[in-house]
Amino acid sequence: MAAPSPGPHEVLAPSPEAGCRAATSTSGRRGLLWRLRDKQARRGLFEIGPGHELHQLTRMIQAGLWAATQVSMGHPPTGPPTEEDFSEVLTQVHEGFEMGTLAGPAFAWLRQSLGLAEEDYQAALGPGCPYLQFLSTSKSKASFFLSHDQRFFLKTQRRREVRALLAHLPRYVQHLQRHPHSLLARLLGVHSLRVARGKKEFFIIMLSVFYPAGRISERYDIKGCEVSRWVEPAPEGSPLVLVLKDLNFQGKTIDLGPQRSWLLHQMELDTAFLRELNVLDYSLLMAFQRLHEDERGPGSSLLFRTVRSVRGVQSPEEPGSQNRRLLPDSPNALHILDGPEQRYFLGLVDLATVYGLRKRLEHLWKTLRYPGRTFSTVSPARYARRLCQWVEAHTE
């Protein structure tokens, strides 16, 4: 991928062996009770351990990310990203592979703005504990991984999707500054991986919308249409973790109480931004978790963050125009909304599909193929309007 000045530069990567030893030592001190609880929390997910077809690949990703984070730890951000930060490409050479870090300083600033320590990021994504895999219901050919603690989500991307993400990155950062409680997925890194002399592959890292996952009962991927939007549910008692779709949600509602107006307004703000980027085919991820008795009602778990809701993010915008809200005193608070009875995990993901010639031709073909039915490939304006209408119709 070509990059403007400063040009790509290549360095020999530091070894993650010390990180491996530290992580192994820490895990060795964990007791039996912790391991049993950990396995229960990962029900339906699969460790990518030795013997798994993706084990070698994920080991390279872990080593590469450990080394990439060493760079950002050695050069922490001192202010918002510059034009040079957005265009930087760093390639680190490892034994048997190369790892590229795209716009590394910009993503380091984003992580800092979320209050995410680089040491924690490195520990979760580097060597030590295997990544997790789940059975995806997505029709794309992408591969999906979770860090062992399920906090971070990794997904392979096509080159054109990465180009779109990087082209939009400055405006994405600006949008999050203006609207710190945005529903947009929090992107944490974009990387490339080339094994030996093979083809360069790309992947992104983001905060998982479905975290912490221990008590989540249902998961959905919503696009606001009907074609190819049904997933056969897992049999009762099955350990599989499936993400269901629009048609599976028929007859259900999201009971948000007084927070409904905030959600509808934030959906308008975020989809208007994506419409301006000429983006479509994104999804609203949703998950449900029953609240315990002591978690219900005002004052039980809510904090009102009035001045700075996300540490490190500052904006000249007035708080009213930023559409701030009550945040739960919980990990991943930006993706959590509490209703009277349920906790909802919500986030807009897959933000890299541009409505270009390929998608316009796909729209014409689907119009002929599915007359009178709704499908995902429509203009960005129609896509945004339809998804907002879906949320309005399914919330109370």
Side-chain angles (χ1 to χ4, degrees):
M1 182 188 306
S5 179
H9 54 287
E10 189 174 288
V11 298
L12 186 64
S15 168
E17 289 178 359
C20 285
R21 287 195 296 269
T24 302
S25 174
T26 301
S27 63
R29 293 194 297 267
R30 292 167 175 159
L32 175 62
L33 182 61
W34 185 93
R35 290 196 296 272
L36 289 174
R37 188 186 304 121
D38 181 51
K39 283 195 173 184
Q40 176 64 22
R42 293 187 287 103
R43 199 164 58 93
L45 299 172
F46 308 94
E47 283 191 353
I48 304 176
H52 193 289
E53 62 179 353
L54 297 174
H55 177 65
Q56 190 62 31
L57 171 66
T58 56
R59 290 288 293 172
M60 287 187 284
I61 292 176
Q62 288 179 318
L65 291 178
W66 188 93
T69 313
Q70 283 293 107
V71 174
S72 57
M73 289 167 64
H75 302 84
T78 57
T82 65
E83 185 177 346
E84 289 187 347
D85 292 335
F86 286 116
S87 62
E88 181 178 292
V89 180
L90 170 67
T91 301
Q92 293 175 295
V93 181
H94 298 257
E95 186 177 350
F97 71 96
E98 296 176 356
M99 174 76 82
T101 299
L102 312 179
F107 284 111
W109 182 86
L110 276 171
R111 296 193 295 270
Q112 183 187 79
S113 75
L114 292 168
L116 176 57
E118 291 294 271
E119 293 82 2
D120 294 339
Y121 184 70
Q122 184 186 60
L125 290 167
C129 293
Y131 288 165
L132 305 176
Q133 184 184 34
F134 61 95
L135 296 180
S136 171
T137 55
S138 170
K139 287 188 172 295
S140 74
K141 295 181 180 179
S143 296
F144 304 87
F145 310 115
L146 284 168
S147 60
H148 201 268
D149 61 3
Q150 302 184 52
R151 188 179 181 187
F152 303 111
F153 181 85
L154 298 87
K155 179 186 178 183
T156 58
Q157 299 268 209
R158 298 183 180 92
R159 183 183 292 266
R160 66 173 178 272
E161 293 170 332
V162 167
R163 284 179 177 147
L165 278 177
L166 294 176
H168 297 155
L169 187 57
R171 295 177 67 183
Y172 169 83
V173 169
Q174 186 180 59
H175 182 77
L176 294 185
Q177 287 182 284
R178 288 177 175 170
H179 305 289
H181 293 175
S182 168
L183 292 166
L184 297 183
R186 293 318 195 259
L187 298 174
L188 305 176
V190 176
H191 298 271
S192 65
L193 180 72
R194 187 200 301 272
V195 180
R197 298 182 181 275
K199 179 183 176 183
K200 186 179 290 186
E201 304 289 346
F202 296 89
F203 66 94
I204 64 169
I205 305 169
M206 68 182 197
L207 282 177
S208 174
V209 174
F210 300 151
Y211 175 83
R215 289 162 48 200
I216 289 177
S217 58
E218 299 175 63
R219 296 167 172 81
Y220 293 89
D221 176 310
I222 301 297
K223 291 184 182 288
C225 59
E226 58 181 321
V227 172
S228 299
R229 302 304 296 165
W230 167 264
V231 171
E232 193 64 35
E236 189 172 350
S238 169
L240 291 179
V241 175
L242 292 182
V243 179
L244 305 177
K245 298 185 179 181
D246 301 61
L247 296 181
N248 299 95
F249 199 79
Q250 287 185 338
K252 300 183 180 183
T253 57
I254 305 168
D255 182 10
L256 289 172
Q259 300 223 57
R260 178 176 184 265
S261 59
W262 176 88
L263 175 63
L264 296 181
H265 185 40
Q266 193 59 53
M267 284 292 299
E268 293 283 351
L269 291 170
D270 288 333
T271 57
F273 167 69
L274 295 173
R275 183 180 67 237
E276 290 171 4
L277 297 183
N278 203 32
V279 166
L280 73 158
D281 216 17
Y282 44 91
S283 295
L284 175 65
L285 289 187
M286 301 190 312
F288 300 168
Q289 173 186 304
R290 193 83 178 166
L291 288 173
H292 290 156
E293 191 65 37
D294 61 353
E295 295 173 324
R296 300 175 189 169
S300 58
S301 64
L302 294 176
L303 297 176
F304 189 34
R305 319 239 171 124
T306 55
V307 179
R308 191 181 301 174
S309 301
V310 184
R311 186 173 59 182
V313 173
Q314 301 182 31
S315 169
E317 304 289 329
E318 290 296 320
S321 66
Q322 291 182 314
N323 196 37
R324 294 172 183 259
R325 65 176 173 94
L326 292 170
L327 289 179
D329 186 19
S330 169
N332 203 27
L334 291 170
H335 286 304
I336 291 175
L337 269 176
D338 283 347
E341 303 288 333
Q342 297 262 17
R343 168 164 288 180
Y344 300 96
F345 297 77
L346 299 162
L348 290 165
V349 301
D350 296 337
L351 313 177
T353 302
V354 175
Y355 194 54
L357 178 60
R358 182 194 301 265
K359 285 296 175 180
R360 292 173 189 273
L361 292 174
E362 185 178 328
H363 169 74
L364 292 175
W365 178 81
K366 286 186 175 180
T367 301
L368 298 174
R369 178 70 176 82
Y370 305 109
R373 301 181 67 191
T374 56
F375 46 84
S376 64
T377 313
V378 294
S379 71
R382 185 178 174 189
Y383 194 96
R385 182 172 61 252
R386 190 175 63 188
L387 188 57
C388 287
Q389 289 171 344
W390 188 98
V391 173
E392 186 171 10
H394 291 83
T395 53
E396 56 185 27

